[in-house]
Amino acid sequence: MILFINACVREESRTKKLAKALLSKLGEYEELKLEDIDFPKTDESFLKKRDSLIASRSFDDPMFELARQFAKADTIVIAAPYWDLSFPAALKQYVEHINVVGITFEYTKEGFPKGLCRAEKLYYVMTAGGTYVPEEFGFGYIQSLAQNFYGIKDVELVKATGLDIDGADEKEILDKVLLTIS
Ligand SMILES: Cc1cc2nc3c(=O)[nH]c(=O)nc-3n(C[C@H](O)[C@H](O)[C@H](O)COP(=O)(O)O)c2cc1C
């Protein structure tokens, strides 16, 4: 199963356009539109409930549905616009929700995370308005999670930048990236 984690917000999203082109090459997919999900607050009662479910290894609880879905996907495609040097907060909420010890990862005796996810490949699709686009808080963060927590070593970035610069030819920029999507 291909899991499409859609953190795009705008109807005319350029990020979504690139992701859809990629998905059309990959095949059938299940879409998770993050803005439609009402994530519970990660407050103390949430953490207590989660800890007690993990302690009793009750991984089939509805609370872990998104984590189970992520762990069993064969391929993952994340689409997220570049916001404030990073990505929309909904994607961070999603990460908080799926990082469940015993489902998506576990810890070794030495305290290192070890992946429990099935996927062999994760694509990260993003677009940015400008060209100052350091990767460490957006793609770099997701890449580190994928490789070090989830055990997904093969991570590929698809990106278009400079889309909001005055006079930028949006179509030309996107077309160039679309050509690289094989
Ligand atoms: C809330 C918000 C924050 C943004 N922050 C940045 C930023 O830090 N750097 C940048 O280059 N562009 C930034 N942009 C511009 C977007 O990255 C750009 O318009 C992007 O292509 C939007 O993707 P979309 O077409 O998929 O919605 C921001 C846009 C919004 C709405």
Side-chain angles (χ1 to χ4, degrees):
M1 180 260 296
I2 297 170
L3 179 60
F4 174 35
I5 299 159
N6 183 359
C8 302
V9 171
R10 299 182 322 109
E11 187 56 39
E12 296 298 317
S13 165
R14 285 87 56 107
T15 319
K16 187 170 69 185
K17 188 175 175 186
L18 293 181
K20 287 282 168 79
L22 171 65
L23 287 160
S24 73
K25 305 273 180 198
L26 297 177
E28 266 187 45
Y29 59 88
E30 238 171 71
E31 177 172 355
L32 210 50
K33 201 159 190 286
L34 296 190
E35 75 173 4
D36 292 344
I37 301 175
D38 210 0
F39 289 103
K41 220 200 275 177
T42 312
D43 56 13
E44 188 169 10
S45 71
F46 175 91
L47 292 177
K48 278 189 174 153
K49 181 178 173 194
R50 185 162 83 165
D51 287 348
S52 98
L53 289 170
I54 291 172
S56 60
R57 301 194 67 79
S58 306
F59 296 123
D60 52 353
D61 191 271
M63 187 181 212
F64 299 135
E65 199 183 326
L66 291 176
R68 289 195 303 268
Q69 179 193 43
F70 186 90
K72 69 172 202 262
D74 299 302
T75 302
I76 300 193
V77 176
I78 298 178
Y82 193 64
W83 277 14
D84 307 317
L85 300 185
S86 181
F87 43 67
L91 182 54
K92 182 65 168 72
Q93 285 183 296
Y94 176 73
V95 167
E96 263 179 24
H97 208 79
I98 64 159
N99 280 15
V100 181
V101 179
I103 299 183
T104 45
F105 74 103
E106 62 187 0
Y107 281 110
T108 64
K109 277 194 206 114
E110 296 75 31
F112 279 102
K114 187 175 155 232
L116 296 177
C117 296
R118 181 195 294 173
E120 290 192 346
K121 175 124 193 176
L122 182 146
Y123 295 89
Y124 188 82
V125 184
M126 56 158 286
T127 67
T131 51
Y132 175 65
V133 186
E135 282 174 2
E136 58 263 49
F137 315 112
F139 168 67
Y141 167 69
I142 297 293
Q143 182 182 39
S144 185
L145 275 176
Q147 294 178 336
N148 300 301
F149 269 67
Y150 309 139
I152 308 169
K153 300 293 173 207
D154 189 355
V155 179
E156 188 172 328
L157 173 64
V158 176
K159 75 168 173 185
T161 61
L163 288 166
D164 296 340
I165 296 172
D166 256 358
D169 189 336
E170 181 182 320
K171 187 175 178 309
E172 190 181 276
I173 296 169
L174 292 175
D175 282 350
K176 252 191 208 157
V177 179
L178 287 169
L179 280 176
T180 67
I181 295 173
S182 51

